[in-house]
PDB file of all heavy atoms in Angstrom:
ATOM      1  N   LEU A  29      46.090  26.534 108.396  1.00  0.00           N
ATOM      2  CA  LEU A  29      46.342  25.097 108.389  1.00  0.00           C
ATOM      3  C   LEU A  29      46.931  24.657 107.052  1.00  0.00           C
ATOM      4  O   LEU A  29      46.736  25.318 106.028  1.00  0.00           O
ATOM      5  CB  LEU A  29      45.034  24.339 108.643  1.00  0.00           C
ATOM      6  CG  LEU A  29      44.363  24.592 109.994  1.00  0.00           C
ATOM      7  CD1 LEU A  29      43.007  23.912 110.039  1.00  0.00           C
ATOM      8  CD2 LEU A  29      45.257  24.109 111.132  1.00  0.00           C
ATOM      9  N   PRO A  30      47.647  23.540 107.012  1.00  0.00           N
ATOM     10  CA  PRO A  30      48.147  22.989 105.738  1.00  0.00           C
ATOM     11  C   PRO A  30      46.976  22.641 104.814  1.00  0.00           C
ATOM     12  O   PRO A  30      45.871  22.326 105.271  1.00  0.00           O
ATOM     13  CB  PRO A  30      48.906  21.735 106.174  1.00  0.00           C
ATOM     14  CG  PRO A  30      49.245  21.966 107.603  1.00  0.00           C
ATOM     15  CD  PRO A  30      48.128  22.767 108.179  1.00  0.00           C
ATOM     16  N   ARG A  31      47.213  22.676 103.535  1.00  0.00           N
ATOM     17  CA  ARG A  31      46.147  22.426 102.557  1.00  0.00           C
ATOM     18  C   ARG A  31      45.524  21.041 102.731  1.00  0.00           C
ATOM     19  O   ARG A  31      44.328  20.865 102.520  1.00  0.00           O
ATOM     20  CB  ARG A  31      46.707  22.569 101.140  1.00  0.00           C
ATOM     21  CG  ARG A  31      47.079  23.995 100.762  1.00  0.00           C
ATOM     22  CD  ARG A  31      47.547  24.070  99.326  1.00  0.00           C
ATOM     23  NE  ARG A  31      47.883  25.435  98.941  1.00  0.00           N
ATOM     24  CZ  ARG A  31      47.008  26.314  98.459  1.00  0.00           C
ATOM     25  NH1 ARG A  31      45.740  25.949  98.297  1.00  0.00           N
ATOM     26  NH2 ARG A  31      47.375  27.539  98.140  1.00  0.00           N
ATOM     27  N   ALA A  32      46.325  20.072 103.094  1.00  0.00           N
ATOM     28  CA  ALA A  32      45.799  18.707 103.228  1.00  0.00           C
ATOM     29  C   ALA A  32      44.826  18.581 104.397  1.00  0.00           C
ATOM     30  O   ALA A  32      43.959  17.700 104.400  1.00  0.00           O
ATOM     31  CB  ALA A  32      46.952  17.722 103.410  1.00  0.00           C
ATOM     32  N   VAL A  33      44.922  19.455 105.375  1.00  0.00           N
ATOM     33  CA  VAL A  33      44.086  19.366 106.574  1.00  0.00           C
ATOM     34  C   VAL A  33      42.805  20.184 106.426  1.00  0.00           C
ATOM     35  O   VAL A  33      41.807  19.912 107.100  1.00  0.00           O
ATOM     36  CB  VAL A  33      44.886  19.837 107.811  1.00  0.00           C
ATOM     37  CG1 VAL A  33      44.046  19.761 109.081  1.00  0.00           C
ATOM     38  CG2 VAL A  33      46.158  19.015 107.957  1.00  0.00           C
ATOM     39  N   ARG A  34      42.817  21.187 105.563  1.00  0.00           N
ATOM     40  CA  ARG A  34      41.688  22.125 105.476  1.00  0.00           C
ATOM     41  C   ARG A  34      40.341  21.458 105.173  1.00  0.00           C
ATOM     42  O   ARG A  34      39.335  21.830 105.783  1.00  0.00           O
ATOM     43  CB  ARG A  34      41.987  23.190 104.423  1.00  0.00           C
ATOM     44  CG  ARG A  34      43.104  24.134 104.825  1.00  0.00           C
ATOM     45  CD  ARG A  34      43.417  25.130 103.736  1.00  0.00           C
ATOM     46  NE  ARG A  34      44.594  25.940 104.066  1.00  0.00           N
ATOM     47  CZ  ARG A  34      45.120  26.836 103.257  1.00  0.00           C
ATOM     48  NH1 ARG A  34      44.582  27.056 102.060  1.00  0.00           N
ATOM     49  NH2 ARG A  34      46.190  27.511 103.633  1.00  0.00           N
ATOM     50  N   PRO A  35      40.252  20.490 104.248  1.00  0.00           N
ATOM     51  CA  PRO A  35      38.940  19.869 103.993  1.00  0.00           C
ATOM     52  C   PRO A  35      38.356  19.189 105.225  1.00  0.00           C
ATOM     53  O   PRO A  35      37.136  19.206 105.419  1.00  0.00           O
ATOM     54  CB  PRO A  35      39.243  18.857 102.883  1.00  0.00           C
ATOM     55  CG  PRO A  35      40.464  19.378 102.210  1.00  0.00           C
ATOM     56  CD  PRO A  35      41.270  20.009 103.288  1.00  0.00           C
ATOM     57  N   PHE A  36      39.200  18.609 106.070  1.00  0.00           N
ATOM     58  CA  PHE A  36      38.706  17.953 107.283  1.00  0.00           C
ATOM     59  C   PHE A  36      38.322  18.989 108.344  1.00  0.00           C
ATOM     60  O   PHE A  36      37.328  18.829 109.055  1.00  0.00           O
ATOM     61  CB  PHE A  36      39.772  17.000 107.828  1.00  0.00           C
ATOM     62  CG  PHE A  36      40.196  15.940 106.855  1.00  0.00           C
ATOM     63  CD1 PHE A  36      41.338  16.099 106.077  1.00  0.00           C
ATOM     64  CD2 PHE A  36      39.431  14.790 106.684  1.00  0.00           C
ATOM     65  CE1 PHE A  36      41.726  15.122 105.167  1.00  0.00           C
ATOM     66  CE2 PHE A  36      39.806  13.810 105.778  1.00  0.00           C
ATOM     67  CZ  PHE A  36      40.959  13.978 105.008  1.00  0.00           C
ATOM     68  N   ALA A  37      39.096  20.056 108.438  1.00  0.00           N
ATOM     69  CA  ALA A  37      38.784  21.116 109.403  1.00  0.00           C
ATOM     70  C   ALA A  37      37.496  21.839 109.026  1.00  0.00           C
ATOM     71  O   ALA A  37      36.775  22.340 109.904  1.00  0.00           O
ATOM     72  CB  ALA A  37      39.939  22.112 109.485  1.00  0.00           C
ATOM     73  N   ALA A  38      37.195  21.910 107.729  1.00  0.00           N
ATOM     74  CA  ALA A  38      35.985  22.604 107.287  1.00  0.00           C
ATOM     75  C   ALA A  38      34.721  21.973 107.865  1.00  0.00           C
ATOM     76  O   ALA A  38      33.713  22.645 108.055  1.00  0.00           O
ATOM     77  CB  ALA A  38      35.917  22.606 105.759  1.00  0.00           C
ATOM     78  N   GLN A  39      34.766  20.677 108.166  1.00  0.00           N
ATOM     79  CA  GLN A  39      33.614  19.991 108.734  1.00  0.00           C
ATOM     80  C   GLN A  39      33.265  20.533 110.120  1.00  0.00           C
ATOM     81  O   GLN A  39      32.110  20.467 110.544  1.00  0.00           O
ATOM     82  CB  GLN A  39      33.896  18.483 108.813  1.00  0.00           C
ATOM     83  CG  GLN A  39      32.786  17.648 109.416  1.00  0.00           C
ATOM     84  CD  GLN A  39      31.558  17.557 108.534  1.00  0.00           C
ATOM     85  OE1 GLN A  39      31.529  18.101 107.438  1.00  0.00           O
ATOM     86  NE2 GLN A  39      30.527  16.877 109.013  1.00  0.00           N
ATOM     87  N   TRP A  40      34.240  21.105 110.798  1.00  0.00           N
ATOM     88  CA  TRP A  40      34.034  21.603 112.163  1.00  0.00           C
ATOM     89  C   TRP A  40      33.809  23.117 112.205  1.00  0.00           C
ATOM     90  O   TRP A  40      33.773  23.688 113.307  1.00  0.00           O
ATOM     91  CB  TRP A  40      35.242  21.249 113.039  1.00  0.00           C
ATOM     92  CG  TRP A  40      35.344  19.785 113.334  1.00  0.00           C
ATOM     93  CD1 TRP A  40      34.435  18.814 113.032  1.00  0.00           C
ATOM     94  CD2 TRP A  40      36.423  19.123 113.994  1.00  0.00           C
ATOM     95  NE1 TRP A  40      34.866  17.584 113.444  1.00  0.00           N
ATOM     96  CE2 TRP A  40      36.088  17.732 114.048  1.00  0.00           C
ATOM     97  CE3 TRP A  40      37.623  19.535 114.542  1.00  0.00           C
ATOM     98  CZ2 TRP A  40      36.921  16.783 114.627  1.00  0.00           C
ATOM     99  CZ3 TRP A  40      38.450  18.597 115.123  1.00  0.00           C
ATOM    100  CH2 TRP A  40      38.104  17.238 115.164  1.00  0.00           C
ATOM    101  N   VAL A  41      33.692  23.762 111.074  1.00  0.00           N
ATOM    102  CA  VAL A  41      33.470  25.214 111.056  1.00  0.00           C
ATOM    103  C   VAL A  41      31.992  25.485 111.316  1.00  0.00           C
ATOM    104  O   VAL A  41      31.155  25.415 110.415  1.00  0.00           O
ATOM    105  CB  VAL A  41      33.914  25.827 109.711  1.00  0.00           C
ATOM    106  CG1 VAL A  41      33.590  27.321 109.683  1.00  0.00           C
ATOM    107  CG2 VAL A  41      35.396  25.608 109.494  1.00  0.00           C
ATOM    108  N   ILE A  42      31.664  25.772 112.563  1.00  0.00           N
ATOM    109  CA  ILE A  42      30.285  26.056 112.983  1.00  0.00           C
ATOM    110  C   ILE A  42      30.311  27.236 113.953  1.00  0.00           C
ATOM    111  O   ILE A  42      31.372  27.813 114.229  1.00  0.00           O
ATOM    112  CB  ILE A  42      29.638  24.821 113.643  1.00  0.00           C
ATOM    113  CG1 ILE A  42      30.509  24.308 114.791  1.00  0.00           C
ATOM    114  CG2 ILE A  42      29.399  23.721 112.625  1.00  0.00           C
ATOM    115  CD1 ILE A  42      29.902  23.162 115.556  1.00  0.00           C
ATOM    116  N   ASP A  43      29.148  27.585 114.476  1.00  0.00           N
ATOM    117  CA  ASP A  43      29.055  28.742 115.368  1.00  0.00           C
ATOM    118  C   ASP A  43      29.970  28.616 116.581  1.00  0.00           C
ATOM    119  O   ASP A  43      30.704  29.547 116.929  1.00  0.00           O
ATOM    120  CB  ASP A  43      27.608  28.915 115.852  1.00  0.00           C
ATOM    121  CG  ASP A  43      26.648  29.184 114.711  1.00  0.00           C
ATOM    122  OD1 ASP A  43      27.071  29.780 113.719  1.00  0.00           O
ATOM    123  OD2 ASP A  43      25.473  28.794 114.815  1.00  0.00           O
ATOM    124  N   GLU A  44      29.915  27.458 117.250  1.00  0.00           N
ATOM    125  CA  GLU A  44      30.615  27.302 118.521  1.00  0.00           C
ATOM    126  C   GLU A  44      32.133  27.295 118.344  1.00  0.00           C
ATOM    127  O   GLU A  44      32.857  27.948 119.108  1.00  0.00           O
ATOM    128  CB  GLU A  44      30.159  26.002 119.209  1.00  0.00           C
ATOM    129  CG  GLU A  44      28.722  26.022 119.682  1.00  0.00           C
ATOM    130  CD  GLU A  44      27.719  25.852 118.555  1.00  0.00           C
ATOM    131  OE1 GLU A  44      28.130  25.399 117.456  1.00  0.00           O
ATOM    132  OE2 GLU A  44      26.530  26.173 118.760  1.00  0.00           O
ATOM    133  N   THR A  45      32.636  26.558 117.356  1.00  0.00           N
ATOM    134  CA  THR A  45      34.082  26.523 117.143  1.00  0.00           C
ATOM    135  C   THR A  45      34.613  27.894 116.724  1.00  0.00           C
ATOM    136  O   THR A  45      35.708  28.289 117.119  1.00  0.00           O
ATOM    137  CB  THR A  45      34.451  25.484 116.075  1.00  0.00           C
ATOM    138  OG1 THR A  45      33.723  25.758 114.871  1.00  0.00           O
ATOM    139  CG2 THR A  45      34.112  24.080 116.545  1.00  0.00           C
ATOM    140  N   THR A  46      33.819  28.602 115.930  1.00  0.00           N
ATOM    141  CA  THR A  46      34.232  29.942 115.512  1.00  0.00           C
ATOM    142  C   THR A  46      34.289  30.899 116.694  1.00  0.00           C
ATOM    143  O   THR A  46      35.238  31.679 116.832  1.00  0.00           O
ATOM    144  CB  THR A  46      33.263  30.486 114.459  1.00  0.00           C
ATOM    145  OG1 THR A  46      33.220  29.596 113.337  1.00  0.00           O
ATOM    146  CG2 THR A  46      33.695  31.866 113.975  1.00  0.00           C
ATOM    147  N   ALA A  47      33.286  30.843 117.562  1.00  0.00           N
ATOM    148  CA  ALA A  47      33.257  31.731 118.720  1.00  0.00           C
ATOM    149  C   ALA A  47      34.439  31.495 119.644  1.00  0.00           C
ATOM    150  O   ALA A  47      35.087  32.445 120.113  1.00  0.00           O
ATOM    151  CB  ALA A  47      31.942  31.547 119.479  1.00  0.00           C
ATOM    152  N   VAL A  48      34.750  30.234 119.919  1.00  0.00           N
ATOM    153  CA  VAL A  48      35.873  29.915 120.804  1.00  0.00           C
ATOM    154  C   VAL A  48      37.197  30.309 120.153  1.00  0.00           C
ATOM    155  O   VAL A  48      38.085  30.882 120.806  1.00  0.00           O
ATOM    156  CB  VAL A  48      35.872  28.419 121.159  1.00  0.00           C
ATOM    157  CG1 VAL A  48      37.133  28.048 121.934  1.00  0.00           C
ATOM    158  CG2 VAL A  48      34.631  28.072 121.984  1.00  0.00           C
ATOM    159  N   ALA A  49      37.350  30.031 118.868  1.00  0.00           N
ATOM    160  CA  ALA A  49      38.608  30.340 118.180  1.00  0.00           C
ATOM    161  C   ALA A  49      38.864  31.848 118.132  1.00  0.00           C
ATOM    162  O   ALA A  49      39.984  32.306 118.374  1.00  0.00           O
ATOM    163  CB  ALA A  49      38.583  29.760 116.770  1.00  0.00           C
ATOM    164  N   LEU A  50      37.838  32.632 117.833  1.00  0.00           N
ATOM    165  CA  LEU A  50      38.019  34.079 117.725  1.00  0.00           C
ATOM    166  C   LEU A  50      38.314  34.727 119.068  1.00  0.00           C
ATOM    167  O   LEU A  50      38.838  35.846 119.112  1.00  0.00           O
ATOM    168  CB  LEU A  50      36.769  34.715 117.119  1.00  0.00           C
ATOM    169  CG  LEU A  50      36.470  34.376 115.653  1.00  0.00           C
ATOM    170  CD1 LEU A  50      35.192  35.048 115.194  1.00  0.00           C
ATOM    171  CD2 LEU A  50      37.635  34.768 114.756  1.00  0.00           C
ATOM    172  N   ALA A  51      37.994  34.056 120.151  1.00  0.00           N
ATOM    173  CA  ALA A  51      38.239  34.625 121.476  1.00  0.00           C
ATOM    174  C   ALA A  51      39.674  34.418 121.953  1.00  0.00           C
ATOM    175  O   ALA A  51      40.059  34.949 123.001  1.00  0.00           O
ATOM    176  CB  ALA A  51      37.282  34.006 122.497  1.00  0.00           C
ATOM    177  N   GLN A  52      40.486  33.696 121.188  1.00  0.00           N
ATOM    178  CA  GLN A  52      41.855  33.385 121.615  1.00  0.00           C
ATOM    179  C   GLN A  52      42.824  34.466 121.124  1.00  0.00           C
ATOM    180  O   GLN A  52      42.704  34.949 120.000  1.00  0.00           O
ATOM    181  CB  GLN A  52      42.288  32.014 121.090  1.00  0.00           C
ATOM    182  CG  GLN A  52      41.318  30.896 121.415  1.00  0.00           C
ATOM    183  CD  GLN A  52      40.937  30.830 122.874  1.00  0.00           C
ATOM    184  OE1 GLN A  52      41.802  30.889 123.751  1.00  0.00           O
ATOM    185  NE2 GLN A  52      39.638  30.704 123.151  1.00  0.00           N
ATOM    186  N   PRO A  53      43.812  34.822 121.961  1.00  0.00           N
ATOM    187  CA  PRO A  53      44.719  35.922 121.591  1.00  0.00           C
ATOM    188  C   PRO A  53      45.862  35.524 120.661  1.00  0.00           C
ATOM    189  O   PRO A  53      46.451  36.375 119.998  1.00  0.00           O
ATOM    190  CB  PRO A  53      45.271  36.383 122.953  1.00  0.00           C
ATOM    191  CG  PRO A  53      45.207  35.150 123.808  1.00  0.00           C
ATOM    192  CD  PRO A  53      44.018  34.374 123.343  1.00  0.00           C
ATOM    193  N   THR A  54      46.231  34.228 120.623  1.00  0.00           N
ATOM    194  CA  THR A  54      47.364  33.785 119.821  1.00  0.00           C
ATOM    195  C   THR A  54      46.924  32.733 118.810  1.00  0.00           C
ATOM    196  O   THR A  54      45.859  32.120 118.954  1.00  0.00           O
ATOM    197  CB  THR A  54      48.465  33.180 120.719  1.00  0.00           C
ATOM    198  OG1 THR A  54      47.943  32.011 121.376  1.00  0.00           O
ATOM    199  CG2 THR A  54      48.903  34.193 121.767  1.00  0.00           C
ATOM    200  N   ARG A  55      47.747  32.518 117.791  1.00  0.00           N
ATOM    201  CA  ARG A  55      47.429  31.503 116.786  1.00  0.00           C
ATOM    202  C   ARG A  55      47.414  30.109 117.405  1.00  0.00           C
ATOM    203  O   ARG A  55      46.560  29.288 117.053  1.00  0.00           O
ATOM    204  CB  ARG A  55      48.434  31.563 115.640  1.00  0.00           C
ATOM    205  CG  ARG A  55      48.272  30.450 114.618  1.00  0.00           C
ATOM    206  CD  ARG A  55      48.987  30.764 113.334  1.00  0.00           C
ATOM    207  NE  ARG A  55      48.361  31.904 112.669  1.00  0.00           N
ATOM    208  CZ  ARG A  55      48.838  32.479 111.558  1.00  0.00           C
ATOM    209  NH1 ARG A  55      49.947  32.028 111.016  1.00  0.00           N
ATOM    210  NH2 ARG A  55      48.219  33.499 111.023  1.00  0.00           N
ATOM    211  N   ARG A  56      48.322  29.858 118.303  1.00  0.00           N
ATOM    212  CA  ARG A  56      48.322  28.558 118.977  1.00  0.00           C
ATOM    213  C   ARG A  56      47.021  28.371 119.762  1.00  0.00           C
ATOM    214  O   ARG A  56      46.422  27.296 119.743  1.00  0.00           O
ATOM    215  CB  ARG A  56      49.536  28.456 119.912  1.00  0.00           C
ATOM    216  CG  ARG A  56      49.634  27.118 120.641  1.00  0.00           C
ATOM    217  CD  ARG A  56      50.941  27.037 121.436  1.00  0.00           C
ATOM    218  NE  ARG A  56      51.046  25.750 122.126  1.00  0.00           N
ATOM    219  CZ  ARG A  56      50.559  25.517 123.334  1.00  0.00           C
ATOM    220  NH1 ARG A  56      49.901  26.483 123.990  1.00  0.00           N
ATOM    221  NH2 ARG A  56      50.699  24.331 123.901  1.00  0.00           N
ATOM    222  N   GLY A  57      46.575  29.423 120.446  1.00  0.00           N
ATOM    223  CA  GLY A  57      45.321  29.349 121.177  1.00  0.00           C
ATOM    224  C   GLY A  57      44.134  29.150 120.261  1.00  0.00           C
ATOM    225  O   GLY A  57      43.190  28.419 120.592  1.00  0.00           O
ATOM    226  N   VAL A  58      44.177  29.804 119.099  1.00  0.00           N
ATOM    227  CA  VAL A  58      43.094  29.643 118.122  1.00  0.00           C
ATOM    228  C   VAL A  58      43.009  28.196 117.659  1.00  0.00           C
ATOM    229  O   VAL A  58      41.915  27.608 117.596  1.00  0.00           O
ATOM    230  CB  VAL A  58      43.311  30.579 116.922  1.00  0.00           C
ATOM    231  CG1 VAL A  58      42.338  30.257 115.802  1.00  0.00           C
ATOM    232  CG2 VAL A  58      43.150  32.028 117.340  1.00  0.00           C
ATOM    233  N   ARG A  59      44.145  27.599 117.359  1.00  0.00           N
ATOM    234  CA  ARG A  59      44.151  26.211 116.889  1.00  0.00           C
ATOM    235  C   ARG A  59      43.684  25.243 117.974  1.00  0.00           C
ATOM    236  O   ARG A  59      42.903  24.322 117.705  1.00  0.00           O
ATOM    237  CB  ARG A  59      45.559  25.836 116.425  1.00  0.00           C
ATOM    238  CG  ARG A  59      45.983  26.516 115.120  1.00  0.00           C
ATOM    239  CD  ARG A  59      47.377  26.111 114.721  1.00  0.00           C
ATOM    240  NE  ARG A  59      47.721  26.636 113.401  1.00  0.00           N
ATOM    241  CZ  ARG A  59      48.908  26.465 112.821  1.00  0.00           C
ATOM    242  NH1 ARG A  59      49.855  25.761 113.454  1.00  0.00           N
ATOM    243  NH2 ARG A  59      49.149  26.965 111.628  1.00  0.00           N
ATOM    244  N   ILE A  60      44.145  25.457 119.204  1.00  0.00           N
ATOM    245  CA  ILE A  60      43.727  24.570 120.304  1.00  0.00           C
ATOM    246  C   ILE A  60      42.230  24.728 120.562  1.00  0.00           C
ATOM    247  O   ILE A  60      41.507  23.735 120.721  1.00  0.00           O
ATOM    248  CB  ILE A  60      44.544  24.872 121.571  1.00  0.00           C
ATOM    249  CG1 ILE A  60      46.002  24.489 121.368  1.00  0.00           C
ATOM    250  CG2 ILE A  60      43.953  24.142 122.772  1.00  0.00           C
ATOM    251  CD1 ILE A  60      46.908  24.851 122.531  1.00  0.00           C
ATOM    252  N   GLY A  61      41.764  25.962 120.637  1.00  0.00           N
ATOM    253  CA  GLY A  61      40.343  26.190 120.894  1.00  0.00           C
ATOM    254  C   GLY A  61      39.466  25.595 119.820  1.00  0.00           C
ATOM    255  O   GLY A  61      38.443  24.961 120.117  1.00  0.00           O
ATOM    256  N   PHE A  62      39.854  25.787 118.567  1.00  0.00           N
ATOM    257  CA  PHE A  62      39.073  25.250 117.453  1.00  0.00           C
ATOM    258  C   PHE A  62      39.059  23.722 117.479  1.00  0.00           C
ATOM    259  O   PHE A  62      38.006  23.088 117.331  1.00  0.00           O
ATOM    260  CB  PHE A  62      39.654  25.747 116.134  1.00  0.00           C
ATOM    261  CG  PHE A  62      38.983  25.183 114.920  1.00  0.00           C
ATOM    262  CD1 PHE A  62      37.812  25.745 114.430  1.00  0.00           C
ATOM    263  CD2 PHE A  62      39.511  24.070 114.252  1.00  0.00           C
ATOM    264  CE1 PHE A  62      37.180  25.224 113.307  1.00  0.00           C
ATOM    265  CE2 PHE A  62      38.892  23.548 113.139  1.00  0.00           C
ATOM    266  CZ  PHE A  62      37.719  24.127 112.659  1.00  0.00           C
ATOM    267  N   THR A  63      40.224  23.115 117.691  1.00  0.00           N
ATOM    268  CA  THR A  63      40.327  21.654 117.652  1.00  0.00           C
ATOM    269  C   THR A  63      39.597  20.999 118.817  1.00  0.00           C
ATOM    270  O   THR A  63      38.842  20.035 118.620  1.00  0.00           O
ATOM    271  CB  THR A  63      41.801  21.229 117.659  1.00  0.00           C
ATOM    272  OG1 THR A  63      42.485  21.852 116.559  1.00  0.00           O
ATOM    273  CG2 THR A  63      41.932  19.728 117.548  1.00  0.00           C
ATOM    274  N   VAL A  64      39.806  21.495 120.014  1.00  0.00           N
ATOM    275  CA  VAL A  64      39.179  20.884 121.189  1.00  0.00           C
ATOM    276  C   VAL A  64      37.662  21.051 121.130  1.00  0.00           C
ATOM    277  O   VAL A  64      36.912  20.101 121.400  1.00  0.00           O
ATOM    278  CB  VAL A  64      39.747  21.509 122.481  1.00  0.00           C
ATOM    279  CG1 VAL A  64      38.973  21.012 123.704  1.00  0.00           C
ATOM    280  CG2 VAL A  64      41.227  21.179 122.626  1.00  0.00           C
ATOM    281  N   THR A  65      37.201  22.235 120.768  1.00  0.00           N
ATOM    282  CA  THR A  65      35.756  22.453 120.670  1.00  0.00           C
ATOM    283  C   THR A  65      35.155  21.578 119.588  1.00  0.00           C
ATOM    284  O   THR A  65      34.113  20.935 119.788  1.00  0.00           O
ATOM    285  CB  THR A  65      35.443  23.930 120.366  1.00  0.00           C
ATOM    286  OG1 THR A  65      36.066  24.760 121.340  1.00  0.00           O
ATOM    287  CG2 THR A  65      33.942  24.182 120.381  1.00  0.00           C
ATOM    288  N   GLY A  66      35.781  21.543 118.420  1.00  0.00           N
ATOM    289  CA  GLY A  66      35.256  20.758 117.317  1.00  0.00           C
ATOM    290  C   GLY A  66      35.224  19.275 117.619  1.00  0.00           C
ATOM    291  O   GLY A  66      34.227  18.595 117.354  1.00  0.00           O
TER     292      GLY A  66
END
């Protein structure tokens, strides 16, 4: 993610968002999974 977005994204770094993001095969899928779950 861009540097300006990282502090806000850090608030959503938890077990569930990590599990969904790591299960995605592409970077686009990782971003969608992380954002929607968070």
Side-chain angles (χ1 to χ4, degrees):
L29 298 173
R31 291 183 179 273
V33 180
R34 291 177 186 176
F36 302 97
Q39 179 70 1
W40 290 353
V41 176
I42 54 176
D43 298 330
E44 292 76 17
T45 55
T46 302
V48 173
L50 293 179
Q52 308 309 313
T54 63
R55 174 163 294 175
R56 181 174 181 272
V58 170
R59 289 180 173 178
I60 293 175
F62 176 83
T63 304
V64 173
T65 305

